[in-house]
Amino acid sequence: MTQLVDTPIPSDPQTHPAFRGGPVAPSTSKLTPLDSTEIRLTQGYWRSWQQKNSDVVLAHCEAWMERIGWIGNFDRAASGDTGWEHSGIEFVDSEIYKLLEAMAWDLGHGENPDLQQRYDSLVDRVASAQEADGYLHTSFGRPGQPARYSNLEWGHELYCFGHLIQAAVARIRTAGSGRLVEVAIRLADHLYATFGPSGREAVCGHPEIEPALAELGRATGDARYLELAALFVERRGHGLLKPIEYGQEYFQDDQPVREAETLRGHAVRALYLASGALDVAVELGDEALAAAVERQWSHTVATRTYITGGMGSHHQDEAFGADFELPPDRAYSETCAGIGSNMLSWRLLLQHGDTKYADLLERTLLNNVMASPREDGRAFFYTNTLHQRVPGSVPDEGELNARALSSLRAPWFEVSCCPTNVARTLASVELYFATKTHDGLQLHQYGSYDIDTTLDSGTPVSFSVVSGYPAEGRIVVTSREQTTSEVTLTLRIPAWAGHADVTVGSNDPERVDGETVSVTRRFAPGDTVVLDLPMKARWVTPDPRIDAVRGTVAVERGPLVLCLEEQASERTVNDVRVDTSAPLVTTDTGAGVTLVTPAAPGTAGTAGTDGLGRAGWPYGEAPADEGRGASEGILRPYATWANEGPSTMRVWLPTA
Ligand SMILES: [Zn+2]
């Protein structure tokens, strides 16, 4: 059992370990995460996206929420006026909080007076709406509004509070303190009084308060917040929420966390809850609860996850389907579910150190989460289909879009959880790349970044990592300092690669099979370790139990899932089949395949039939492969599709 000490926040962030850290800072873990002073992106794919986030995405989110009155809700709430109309659905406060979290991480990268001023101003407006007892929500509790906590099933009150607290934790971890931290602590104290051991036995319909309170407990050392997080985790699954049309499974109130075998119900809720449950388990030394979360992760990855890492195949309730129910054209794969999956994988990686967690994190980050933002950073996918059958329609860039109806990326949504979630992910993404131990440094994700840290043994290390990843497979790691003792540098060999060619200094390259490669030595300035990963495009076949894609193949190149996209209006991707006996050609950015286009089944030919049943009916005998034409198809990274206007697209290609 970990003893947390109830201490006030020290004033000097540099001397208090809790003041540094990434989004997750467990008090005990196999691997120790790095903070934003220890790892910095330098160039390449991730640096470019993080800069775009700082320059474009943050301002985009802020401008939209200003324009449509979501930020103004705080001003109106603070005014004390009555009868004003609340803008947006009841949980839009959370979008301002996720933006504040993103801004806090971004400010952790260095001085930015303009952003600092905008951040401070936004915090002041939020803080001004806090009530005397710490409660802070713009949709509840005032004259003319629903009473506080009167609709825990759908109100999202504690969900919003969770995101406020996460924003405050990001501030603590990058700057030490600030007005938002004080606001969050007053709010958390109100929650402890309201829902704590002597308070109301209830949970929120949308988890998020659980990981937030656990993290606030870690960041402040106040054990009450962890205690409340644990209460919320344990209360769920006992039917405290009123029945709804989707069933109690929707908000994981059907079964206690520690008894469930798999993630189920609403995907984002399930993933946030599992993250919070693991946080609680780690801090309390609750091995049974930790094992339950790991078990659910394993089952979900094996049976309920798309090739892109996306989770959730039901549009109606944004939920997981049954095992192997993964239709590509109905993939919901909400961007936020991908982010929730990464939250959980990262926590499991820190605890167990197994590369399988970093493998899924890489897959989900590059192929699900990064499919969301448009190349210019001003529009986003909410859902991430794997098969677009009809060319998407261009959304009105000036209007709010329905979340799942938009077939191209849209600037903003009526429920706009995904853009701000992408923003906070991009602002902190490097903090998921590497960890340290007593005398080792582990690189889990690749790109170009510098690490300057002191290992737990006291040995300072400085490494530069340079790579054209994810397009290129060479990763060059160079020591910039002499290490005063032996250090073990460990690099993940991705599961998709299976092996790597490793070159240490001027030695000959050596093939290494397995999950990692480690080099132990006293590193001198200029010492290099080079990892070469096989970037040849490869066929991927699905488990036959995934009925919706049986008889199809996908193509991956390096860490990227590829897709076939067709912009031309006279051609679509729906009729093609791929000839897997023809060469699969690796290109600079994707792959080339040979496609065959049989006569479309079920359409009337001159003889009345075209090989599949009678004309106008798509069922019957197997088609004859007559009259087909071969053509070359170029596959591109799935995450980049739909950047050039309306198109059709598919990941899974039927075989000829
Ligand atoms: Zn979302």
Side-chain angles (χ1 to χ4, degrees):
M1 164 86 70
T2 305
Q3 295 298 322
L4 290 179
V5 186
D6 187 354
T7 51
I9 296 178
S11 56
D12 179 4
Q14 303 305 326
T15 61
H16 192 278
F19 274 136
R20 286 294 165 193
V24 187
S27 63
T28 174
S29 58
K30 186 165 183 177
L31 308 178
T32 304
L34 305 181
D35 67 42
S36 59
T37 66
E38 296 171 304
I39 180 167
R40 292 167 309 285
L41 300 174
T42 52
Q43 56 178 302
Y45 178 86
W46 287 116
R47 172 74 183 134
S48 159
W49 267 110
Q50 193 167 73
Q51 191 64 49
K52 198 179 299 177
N53 190 53
S54 182
D55 294 343
V56 178
V57 179
L58 298 182
H60 172 88
C61 294
E62 189 182 356
W64 262 96
M65 293 197 286
E66 194 72 86
R67 194 191 117 198
I68 59 181
W70 295 3
I71 298 174
N73 285 331
F74 290 95
D75 306 332
R76 292 186 284 277
S79 71
D81 295 344
T82 57
W84 54 274
E85 194 175 338
H86 182 272
S87 297
I89 38 130
E90 67 273 13
F91 52 92
V92 296
D93 289 2
S94 64
E95 309 314 340
I96 287 88
Y97 302 150
K98 275 185 282 179
L99 173 61
L100 283 170
E101 182 187 337
M103 287 175 160
W105 291 123
D106 200 67
L107 288 167
H109 295 139
E111 298 235 329
N112 184 338
D114 169 63
L115 183 63
Q116 185 69 56
Q117 186 274 326
R118 285 155 52 203
Y119 174 85
D120 290 341
S121 164
L122 206 46
V123 167
D124 286 345
R125 292 167 75 180
V126 166
S128 65
Q130 188 165 35
E131 298 184 42
D133 65 352
Y135 183 88
L136 204 181
H137 203 293
T138 65
S139 295
F140 292 89
R142 291 177 194 78
Q145 294 184 327
R148 290 180 184 183
Y149 310 122
S150 58
N151 184 5
L152 287 170
E153 287 74 21
W154 297 109
H156 290 74
E157 278 162 288
L158 277 69
Y159 165 82
C160 291
F161 299 161
H163 279 302
L164 188 156
I165 290 168
Q166 292 281 22
V169 167
R171 183 66 179 166
I172 294 173
R173 297 262 164 82
T174 51
S177 59
R179 190 171 182 197
L180 193 69
V181 179
E182 296 161 16
V183 167
I185 287 173
R186 276 199 298 275
L187 175 61
D189 290 346
H190 154 78
L191 288 173
Y192 187 82
T194 308
F195 295 101
S198 53
R200 179 175 166 189
E201 190 183 8
V203 296
C204 179
H206 198 314
E208 162 57 21
I209 191 67
E210 296 84 355
L213 281 170
E215 217 55 52
L216 187 66
R218 288 164 166 170
T220 62
D222 190 329
R224 293 175 307 148
Y225 305 144
L226 177 65
E227 181 188 7
L228 185 55
L231 279 175
F232 283 137
V233 168
E234 297 295 352
R235 283 173 187 166
R236 194 170 291 268
H238 298 283
L240 288 172
L241 294 163
K242 287 199 275 291
I244 58 164
E245 59 179 315
Y246 302 135
Q248 297 308 92
E249 182 181 289
Y250 174 79
F251 30 46
Q252 295 76 45
D253 199 28
D254 57 325
Q255 215 179 359
V257 178
R258 59 178 67 246
E259 292 175 15
E261 294 296 327
T262 188
L263 298 180
R264 69 224 177 275
H266 187 276
V268 179
R269 291 168 205 245
L271 289 154
Y272 286 10
L273 176 64
S275 297
L278 186 59
D279 290 337
V280 166
V282 166
E283 297 305 322
L284 298 181
D286 187 335
E287 290 177 15
L289 183 59
V293 173
E294 207 289 330
R295 178 173 77 228
Q296 292 159 26
W297 181 91
S298 293
H299 185 98
T300 303
V301 174
T303 63
R304 299 182 174 200
T305 303
Y306 283 99
I307 187 174
T308 53
M311 293 187 181
S313 57
H314 284 189
H315 278 240
Q316 176 180 267
D317 50 356
E318 303 186 313
F320 286 100
D323 290 354
F324 304 108
E325 183 190 348
L326 295 164
D329 47 0
R330 292 293 291 165
Y332 199 73
S333 289
E334 183 181 341
T335 303
C336 289
I339 289 167
S341 171
N342 288 345
M343 286 163 54
L344 181 56
S345 293
W346 178 242
R347 284 162 166 80
L348 288 162
L349 176 65
L350 292 178
Q351 290 308 312
H352 300 287
D354 295 345
T355 53
K356 63 183 178 182
Y357 305 115
D359 283 332
L360 185 73
L361 203 155
E362 170 181 272
R363 178 175 291 278
T364 310
L365 187 57
L366 284 170
N367 299 292
N368 180 219
V369 177
M370 290 311 294
S372 176
R374 196 168 63 194
E375 275 171 1
D376 67 358
R378 298 179 196 279
F380 303 84
F381 274 133
Y382 186 116
T383 63
N384 294 279
T385 188
L386 273 66
H387 185 174
Q388 180 72 32
R389 290 180 179 275
V390 295
S393 52
V394 180
D396 185 335
E397 296 269 323
E399 293 298 320
L400 291 176
N401 272 262
R403 57 185 118 172
L405 296 182
S406 175
S407 52
L408 283 173
R409 294 176 182 86
W412 209 251
F413 303 91
E414 288 165 7
V415 173
S416 213
C417 47
C418 300
T420 53
N421 230 350
V422 169
R424 72 180 182 128
T425 300
L426 285 172
S428 58
V429 72
E430 77 279 16
L431 303 177
Y432 297 88
F433 284 9
T435 55
K436 61 183 177 180
T437 50
H438 179 75
D439 52 7
L441 188 69
Q442 301 81 36
L443 309 186
H444 307 288
Q445 306 299 336
Y446 298 124
S448 294
Y449 51 86
D450 284 351
I451 292 176
D452 295 275
T453 185
T454 300
L455 303 182
D456 299 349
S457 64
T459 304
V461 293
S462 293
F463 287 97
S464 287
V465 183
V466 176
S467 174
Y469 212 76
E472 296 166 21
R474 167 160 287 201
I475 296 119
V476 180
V477 186
T478 307
S479 174
R480 282 184 279 109
E481 300 285 346
Q482 176 71 48
T483 60
T484 52
S485 63
E486 284 204 332
V487 168
T488 299
L489 176 69
T490 301
L491 284 73
R492 177 178 64 101
I493 299 174
W496 58 259
H499 72 274
D501 291 327
V502 182
T503 311
V504 180
S506 56
N507 295 351
D508 289 336
E510 193 182 330
R511 180 184 161 119
V512 178
D513 295 283
E515 298 171 357
T516 60
V517 57
S518 292
V519 177
T520 301
R521 60 162 57 186
R522 285 175 186 259
F523 283 90
D527 279 1
T528 57
V529 177
V530 178
L531 193 70
D532 280 301
L533 298 170
M535 300 302 274
K536 221 166 149 257
R538 57 195 185 274
W539 302 109
V540 179
T541 52
D543 186 306
R545 288 170 291 183
I546 307 174
D547 297 84
V549 290
R550 195 179 291 162
T552 68
V553 294
V555 180
E556 295 179 344
R557 179 188 179 281
L560 299 178
V561 175
L562 305 183
C563 70
L564 179 67
E565 184 179 20
E566 189 60 79
Q567 253 98 26
S569 57
E570 68 274 17
R571 292 196 305 271
T572 74
V573 301
N574 298 312
D575 300 332
V576 300
R577 300 184 203 178
V578 65
D579 184 354
T580 53
S581 66
L584 176 58
V585 180
T586 306
T587 68
D588 284 351
T589 57
V593 295
T594 300
L595 300 171
V596 295
T597 311
T603 54
T606 51
T609 71
D610 59 9
L612 183 63
R614 283 185 293 276
W617 183 240
Y619 309 98
E621 291 175 14
D625 270 347
E626 290 174 8
R628 68 186 192 182
S631 65
E632 188 183 88
I634 299 296
L635 309 185
R636 67 183 297 168
Y638 165 75
T640 67
W641 86 279
N643 268 291
E644 287 112 45
S647 62
T648 58
M649 179 281 299
R650 70 188 305 159
V651 169
W652 293 106
L653 306 167
T655 53

